[in-house]
């Protein structure tokens, strides 16, 4: 196979081009990249990589869908009242939600065209469905993978995804490919031909992201393994809409809640950055109806300007042993993201509220979060651990609106986490649980929250089970008069530790006091006010017990 490298002329008219055989050794390849420019007898020109269009490798933007498919168990007759079918659909892949074994997806091909409202499938349905999600089209998995492989073998380049709906029933893999000197290479940019991210609906027709919007759309139907695997270095995915056309709907075409909607279809992660990946980036993308959205191992990854439509996990971060950045995220984990509030109150939204975690963190060294907003979710950020350890990092300007739990800090590394301007709002329909949960009783997380707000409906604002937490300047928490209960006066000389998650003013008066110590040091006071931070100690030596009052700050 030959790949053309177009020359860019310099110092005279004309230009040059070279052809690189994919079997070239690295030395031969790089020699061909530098060609002499001889139109004027002098000067040099360097070749450059032309973009690779997936359509040049056989991809076809003919993906379609309806939400009123019907088929009876034991038969192969698929109907739709929308009359969407044509004779050109014969041989194309088709996926019918709920018509497979045990109510799973039926994935097959269209064997025959009967009329615009009816086709015959290659295999029979195992379950009867009506008003089912049906998607069909050319399976573009092989064509897109061939494009990726060609660019990888050519030592990198830019892949263009045109505007259109490209059905993919399989998986895509950005690979590390060994070359003649036993090194690895990748450096692939996979980009839509127009700038994203893209809104996931148009007016009241909020079922079909990309069908009404000018966007490069990958329609994903695979339920077995992650759709896009990063096993390489320096891969960039930019301005793509990832869309699951066979996910169940919480609303009908007018936005009315459908009460029969229950558990969503379970899909693996849309994007999976494996431990072989490093320095990879996802930006300007929309994820519509992902069950689990992005899982990142490796290091030096970044995720920037993303519309997140996960139903369960948004980001799962683990074994990222270098700085990883997540910024400019707008999350709305209800079907079709910005399709109005039709999903609020549906049973699908109940699933999301009970099960979703926007950002789930295990082992991570210096995870940086900035400008993150999520609406209608379960848990905002969960700091957890696994066999590889826990995490540390920082976050600025994060907000989880209409959530169950804003922050669940089960454990951290000893360095801990710092948050600046952390806002959380309780779910007024399902009832908020707790804004901030610190520790599980057996762990010792370290959390510092400076600024933000707690509003909406929460049963508890802060529950501190263990660890060290400082929470300051958080509206509706630090300024709440009902926050703090003055503890009992300890016995003379006994040390008392501030177990609250915020600083407290301690007013001491009366009694016969000879000494007040703060953080183990004598203050010289026998009465008056001290500011005691979380985890700090105070002790009072007295012959007659004084009184004290604790007030939150």
């Amino acid at each position: 196979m030959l790949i053309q490298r177009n020359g860019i002329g310099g110092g005279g008219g004309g230009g040059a081009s070279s052809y690189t055989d994919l079997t070239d050794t690295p030395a031969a390849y790089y020699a061909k990249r530098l060609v002499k420019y001889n139109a004027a007898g002098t000067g040099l020109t360097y070749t450059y990589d032309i973009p690779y269009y997936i359509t040049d490798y056989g991809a076809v933007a003919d993906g379609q869908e309806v939400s009123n498919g019907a088929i009876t168990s034991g038969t192969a007759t698929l109907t739709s009242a929308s009359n969407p079918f044509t004779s050109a659909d014969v041989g194309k892949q088709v996926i019918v939600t709920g018509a497979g074994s045990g109510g799973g997806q039926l994935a097959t091909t269209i064997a025959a065209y009967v009329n615009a409202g009816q086709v015959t499938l290659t295999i029979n349905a195992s379950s009867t469905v009506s008003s089912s999600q049906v998607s069909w089209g050319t399976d573009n998995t092989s064509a897109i993978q061939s494009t990726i492989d060609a660019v990888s073998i050519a030592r990198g380049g830019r892949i263009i995804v045109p505007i259109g709906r490209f059905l993919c029933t399989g998986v895509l893999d950005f690979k590390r490919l060994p070359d003649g000197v036993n090194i690895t290479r990748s450096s692939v940019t996979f980009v839509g031909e127009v700038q994203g991210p893209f809104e996931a609906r148009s007016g009241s027709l909020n079922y079909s992201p990309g069908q009404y919007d000018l966007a490069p759309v990958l329609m994903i139907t695979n339920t077995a393994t992650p759709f896009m695997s990063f096993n390489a270095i320096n891969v960039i995915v930019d301005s793509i809409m990832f869309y699951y056309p066979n996910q169940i709907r919480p609303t009908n075409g007018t936005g009315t809640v459908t009460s029969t909607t229950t558990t969503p279809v379970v899909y693996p992660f849309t994007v999976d950055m494996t431990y072989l990946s490093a320095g990879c980036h996802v930006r300007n993308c929309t994820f519509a109806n992902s069950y689990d959205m992005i899982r990142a191992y490796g290091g030096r990854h970044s995720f920037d300007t993303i519309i997140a439509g996960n139903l369960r996990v948004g980001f799962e971060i683990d074994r990222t042993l270098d700085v990883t950045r997540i910024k400019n995220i707008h999350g709305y984990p209800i079907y079709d993201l910005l399709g109005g509030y039709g999903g609020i109150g549906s049973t699908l939204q109940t699933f999301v509220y009970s099960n979703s975690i926007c950002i789930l963190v295990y082992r991570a060294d210096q995870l940086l979060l900035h400008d993150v907003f999520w609406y209608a979710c379960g848990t905002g950020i969960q700091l957890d651990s696994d066999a590889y350890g826990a995490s540390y990092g920082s976050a600025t300007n994060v907000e989880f609106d209409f959530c169950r739990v804003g922050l669940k800090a089960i454990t951290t590394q000893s360095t801990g986490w710092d948050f600046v301007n952390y806002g959380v709002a309780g779910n007024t329909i399902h009832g908020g649980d707790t804004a901030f949960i610190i520790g599980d009783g057996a762990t010792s997380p370290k959390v510092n929250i400076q600024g933000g707000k707690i509003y909406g409906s929460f049963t508890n604002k802060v529950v501190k089970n263990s660890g060290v937490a400082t929470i300051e300047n958080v509206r509706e928490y630090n300024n709440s008069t009902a926050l703090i209960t003055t503890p009992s006066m300890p016995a003379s000389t006994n040390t008392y530790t501030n177990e609250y998650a915020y600083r407290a003013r301690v007013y001491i008066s009366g009694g016969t006091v000879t000494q007040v110590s703060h953080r183990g040091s004598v203050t010289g006071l026998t009465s008056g006010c001290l500011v005691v931070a979380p985890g700090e100690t105070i002790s009072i030596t007295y012959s007659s017990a004084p009184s004290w009052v604790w007030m939150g700050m």
Side-chain angles (χ1 to χ4, degrees), residues 377-549:
C377 56
T379 297
I381 298 174
Q382 181 166 314
L383 306 178
D384 214 324
S385 65
D386 58 14
Y388 300 93
S391 67
Y392 70 93
S394 62
T396 58
N397 300 334
V398 294
E399 182 159 349
F400 299 95
D401 190 4
F402 216 71
C403 68
R404 181 170 56 87
V405 175
L407 170 66
K408 188 174 184 179
I410 298 174
T411 187
T412 67
Q413 292 187 35
S414 59
T415 309
W417 270 81
D418 295 304
F419 298 92
V420 177
N421 193 21
Y422 200 132
V424 292
N427 187 317
T428 57
I429 291 180
H430 299 89
D433 184 343
T434 302
F436 302 138
I437 299 176
I438 312 299
D440 65 359
T443 57
S444 298
K446 293 182 178 179
V447 174
N448 176 28
I449 301 175
Q450 295 293 326
K453 56 185 178 293
I454 297 174
Y455 58 106
S457 175
F458 280 111
T459 302
N460 303 291
K461 292 183 177 180
V462 175
V463 172
K464 182 175 177 290
N465 298 306
S466 57
V468 177
T470 300
I471 303 175
E472 296 181 326
N473 301 316
V474 175
R475 293 203 311 272
E476 303 305 323
Y477 176 64
N478 294 113
N479 62 347
S480 172
T481 57
L483 279 181
I484 193 167
T485 300
T486 296
S488 300
M489 175 65 65
S492 177
T493 72
N494 282 6
T495 297
Y496 185 86
T497 302
N498 180 7
E499 297 291 346
Y500 291 104
Y502 43 84
R503 294 184 299 167
R505 289 191 180 93
V506 181
Y507 296 90
I508 303 170
S509 63
T512 305
V513 177
T514 57
Q515 181 175 294
V516 176
S517 296
H518 178 211
R519 295 179 299 181
S521 299
V522 176
T523 64
L525 299 175
T526 57
S527 64
C529 178
L530 290 174
V531 175
V532 182
E536 292 184 350
T537 61
I538 183 172
S539 65
I540 303 175
T541 302
Y542 58 84
S543 57
S544 174
S547 299
W548 66 2
V549 176

Side-chain angles (χ1 to χ4, degrees), residues 315-328:
F315 293 90
E316 180 180 306
I317 309 297
D318 194 8
R319 284 176 269 176
T320 57
L321 306 183
D322 205 336
V323 175
T324 296
R325 295 173 172 84
I326 300 175
K327 62 179 182 177
N328 302 328

Side-chain angles (χ1 to χ4, degrees), residues 323-347:
V323 175
T324 296
R325 295 173 172 84
I326 300 175
K327 62 179 182 177
N328 302 328
I329 310 298
H330 187 100
Y332 191 97
I334 297 177
Y335 187 82
D336 280 357
L337 300 104
L338 302 180
Y341 297 143
I344 298 293
S346 72
T347 50

Side-chain angles (χ1 to χ4, degrees), residues 202-456:
S202 178
S204 63
L205 300 173
N206 55 22
Y207 280 164
S208 306
Q211 186 167 355
Y212 310 100
D213 297 320
L214 297 177
V217 181
L218 300 182
M219 299 172 63
I220 306 165
T221 65
N222 167 59
T223 60
T225 54
F227 171 65
M228 183 174 281
S229 293
F230 289 58
N231 293 290
I233 299 172
N234 300 334
V235 174
I236 298 173
V237 174
D238 191 338
S239 299
I240 300 294
M241 176 179 283
F242 299 93
Y243 172 51
Y244 291 80
N246 290 86
Q247 187 55 271
I248 61 174
R249 269 58 169 162
T251 63
N252 61 23
T254 60
T256 303
V257 172
T258 304
S259 60
T260 58
T261 302
T262 54
T263 304
V265 178
V266 176
Y267 291 98
F269 281 93
T270 306
V271 168
D272 186 20
M273 294 182 176
T274 74
Y275 68 93
L276 294 173
S277 65
C280 297
H281 313 281
V282 177
R283 59 198 186 199
N284 305 313
C285 291
T286 297
F287 292 79
N289 318 319
S290 294
Y291 184 79
D292 291 334
M293 192 174 78
I294 294 174
R295 178 168 59 191
Y297 297 163
R300 298 185 300 282
H301 302 312
S302 72
F303 308 92
D304 187 359
T305 313
I306 290 173
I307 297 178
N310 60 295
L311 299 177
R312 201 176 71 106
V313 175
F315 293 90
E316 180 180 306
I317 309 297
D318 194 8
R319 284 176 269 176
T320 57
L321 306 183
D322 205 336
V323 175
T324 296
R325 295 173 172 84
I326 300 175
K327 62 179 182 177
N328 302 328
I329 310 298
H330 187 100
Y332 191 97
I334 297 177
Y335 187 82
D336 280 357
L337 300 104
L338 302 180
Y341 297 143
I344 298 293
S346 72
T347 50
L348 179 57
Q349 205 281 321
T350 301
F351 171 89
V352 170
Y353 177 74
S354 300
N355 296 278
S356 73
I357 302 174
C358 301
I359 301 175
L360 174 59
V361 186
Y362 293 106
R363 171 62 189 274
D365 294 351
Q366 195 60 286
L367 176 60
L368 304 179
L369 311 177
H370 180 66
D371 284 354
V372 175
F373 174 85
W374 237 286
Y375 179 78
C377 56
T379 297
I381 298 174
Q382 181 166 314
L383 306 178
D384 214 324
S385 65
D386 58 14
Y388 300 93
S391 67
Y392 70 93
S394 62
T396 58
N397 300 334
V398 294
E399 182 159 349
F400 299 95
D401 190 4
F402 216 71
C403 68
R404 181 170 56 87
V405 175
L407 170 66
K408 188 174 184 179
I410 298 174
T411 187
T412 67
Q413 292 187 35
S414 59
T415 309
W417 270 81
D418 295 304
F419 298 92
V420 177
N421 193 21
Y422 200 132
V424 292
N427 187 317
T428 57
I429 291 180
H430 299 89
D433 184 343
T434 302
F436 302 138
I437 299 176
I438 312 299
D440 65 359
T443 57
S444 298
K446 293 182 178 179
V447 174
N448 176 28
I449 301 175
Q450 295 293 326
K453 56 185 178 293
I454 297 174
Y455 58 106

